Amino acid sequence: PGPIPLFISLNEYNQASLSEREHFLEWYLCRYFLGQRDYQPELVERFWKWLDLPARNRQFPRILLMLDGFNEITADQQPLLRDLNQQWKDHPQVQILLTSREEAQLTWTKGFQKIELQGLDQENIRAFLADSGQAMPTDPRILPLLKNPMMLTLFTSSSQLTEQYSG
């Protein structure tokens, strides 16, 4: 079997307390994947023991750690970076996927494979808007945002709501 995906929204790091930031990934694991309210050292210890079990005939790591939104972290990143470097980065049963809108210039990511998503072109944007019954916006500042599929979807939804409630 393939790895177990663990999706972690890094924007939550900003609201975490100082003590939660010290072991943010483990705290998040306890809260969102193990159903606990707080960091539980005994559960975390069992998690690491499970992760360290001999991997017979495994082609993939046990965990795919998906860290989403590194660029959204506004709080001090040092505790998170220390935790990633010391516990997670080099563990043979953990594969890390890090997303960021800006290229992260971090020494610990050396050796990571970089994948850059291509934005939508104007033809795709125009087709999506047409399917939604909308025209291409005339404000040139909006066009670069619409290259992102999520932003395009938000734009069309908010435009439809504006039309619905403005009349």
Side-chain angles (χ1 to χ4, degrees), residues 31-87:
R31 181 161 196 173
Y32 292 102
F33 298 105
L34 301 176
Q36 302 299 309
R37 239 194 134 107
D38 295 309
Y39 177 78
Q40 300 290 324
E42 64 281 353
L43 284 177
V44 170
E45 185 178 332
R46 288 196 336 223
F47 168 78
W48 285 109
K49 283 182 180 179
W50 168 77
L51 209 54
D52 288 334
L53 287 173
R56 289 184 226 135
N57 301 324
R58 288 193 63 84
Q59 295 177 336
F60 304 100
R62 285 196 169 103
I63 298 293
L64 172 59
L65 188 62
M66 298 184 292
L67 305 174
D68 183 50
F70 191 80
N71 61 295
E72 297 174 22
I73 297 175
T74 55
D76 178 20
Q77 300 172 353
Q78 290 311 307
L80 177 63
L81 296 176
R82 189 172 37 254
D83 190 29
L84 280 165
N85 265 321
Q86 292 172 355
Q87 294 261 102

Side-chain angles (χ1 to χ4, degrees), residues 5 21 27 52 97 110 121 130 133 156:
R21 286 184 196 157
W27 170 82
D52 288 334
L97 172 71
K110 186 178 181 178
D121 60 25
T156 56

